[in-house]
Amino acid sequence: MQISDLPYPDPGVPDARSGPRFLMWLGRGQLGGQLKSLGWGLVHFGGIAGLPYAVGLGVDAVVERDGTRLLLVGALLVILGIAISLGDAMLHRTAVTNWITAAARVQQLLARKTAELGSALTRRVAAGEVVAVSTGDVEKIGWFVEAVSRFLAAALSLVLICVGLLLYAPAIGVVVAIGIPVLALAVLPLLPRATQRADVQREKAGRATELASDTVAGLRVLRGIGGEELFLGRYREASQDVRKAAVRSARMWALISAIQVVLPGALLITVVWYGSTLVLDGRLAVGELVAAFSAVATMLYPLRHFEEIAMAYSFSRPSAKRAARVLSLTRTGAEAEPESAAPADAPAPGGDLYDPETGLLAPAGRFTAVVCGDPDLAGRLAERLGGHPMDLDGEASVLLGGVALDALALDTARELVLVQDKDPVLLSGTLRELLGVPASGAVGAGAALAAAQCGDVLDALLQSAPDGVSDPMDARITERGRSLSGGQRQRLALARSLVTDPEVLVLDEPTSAVDSHTEARIADGLASLRAGRTTVVLASSPLLLDRAERVVLIHEGAVAAFGTHRELLRGEPRYRAVVTRETDEEQRLARLELAQLEEALTEIEESA
């Protein structure tokens, strides 16, 4: 594959059982590119391996005053030079292609997984870790994939040099053949410690990245409470920890590099000393000594690739482990496995939404409100209703029209059910771009904005827009809508959801950041605009609950009661406690007053 062919039509199904397995899967997916790189690497390193023998033959030709052989050696050197230059250029080209294509494949897999999991991803994995995987980790994984072919070519070239010396100059070749494996394996005992220090460095860097991400996300709040210096101090401490860990890691890699300089130097001295002795004794020709010396000097270049592959694997292994952890997540919370079953057909329009875990039933075409005493339970329930049960493996899937949402193709499930969580995100861009989402076309932007009571939001956007912008739809929204208040961001997100007009709309606390008057108007607009469409709102606000056609109380993870808002207020104490915020003592006093009133009425009836 060429870089121009990216992105991949299908990045494939990764083996995410572990980091090494994921690296092996990536390698198998790029066998063609690896073989090309290996081939050009053999041309390049083969040319380098041939230089010592060509030089030795040239020296022998000069000593023997053989002009013809010297010309042939000159031609051989020209051929080797061309092979070295051409092989180096093409090796670099193919190796970098392997790097970029591997990184692109990982990025596509991560993007697909992010789209599959949605907001549930950051509930399973820290946001800082997701950032680290999608940026630095992708580069490290690509580095290892790129380094493999160059390492193999370098290793084969070392074997060729050793074998060639054994055939060309056996007396000195034995010393080189014994010394080279020692040089290549000398750093192995240090690699576990170097890897451990590198892992500590990356762990601290991930924590610092997560702290920085959280600090930037909450900068507006921090400024409001004067907490900037506090968090800045924490980040300074974290960054200093990263620096110290990086220095400790660099010391170990510096030691490994030093060993790979000192030991070849010692081998070179040994070869020169021993070879000179052989030449003086008449057992070795001058050309053979020069060839042996050149071979050892030449080996320093391919030997460096042993250090590089060790570093690349050391840095890529934890990166691949983190990437595999993210890629192993599924909508059902189980480990990723290749999907063999074909997706189920979409259910017929007008089906009920049913959750077997809680017993919640949202009839088709009706406005259903759900009350949960636990806000976290409400958030998890909203995810489940969208087809993302993220709590425990083996949970039964939510059914729409009798068809499990998990059995549907992801695109189909997303078209049928839209979930807006309590903290929706607004992407930067114009308001027109924000509302330009895939939609049925039945609800226009104006109607959605009106139902969400966004009139003041449009005015605010128009006032902050640059000169020349007269239409609020062309006004720009800053990153995550930071220039807007929480209530304004919430209403714009609601308008975006209403424009989509899905068959089932699930809203988690859609009016928690607005005042009661605006909330009442939003409740009326929502009920009117979604008339005849299945709508589920998880809320505890009486204004929203009173507009719902059906209200369901979830208590301790299961349906405890259902009816209208006013029916539940009169007959369900647990519902009344959540909605009216009554304490147990207030409920006890209310029951006591009711009993006293009934007793007084009975006495009056008896006396009459």
Side-chain angles (χ1 to χ4, degrees), residues 11 162 173 184 252 311 325 332 430 443 505-506 531 587 600:
C162 292
M252 185 57 65
M311 291 183 66
R325 178 169 177 254
T332 58
T430 65
V443 178
L505 177 61
V506 180
Q587 292 185 42

Side-chain angles (χ1 to χ4, degrees), residues 54-55 57-58 61 67-81:
V55 172
L57 292 173
T68 303
R69 190 166 55 162
L70 186 60
L71 289 176
L72 292 175
V73 170
L76 177 61
L77 286 173
V78 171
I79 294 173
L80 291 176

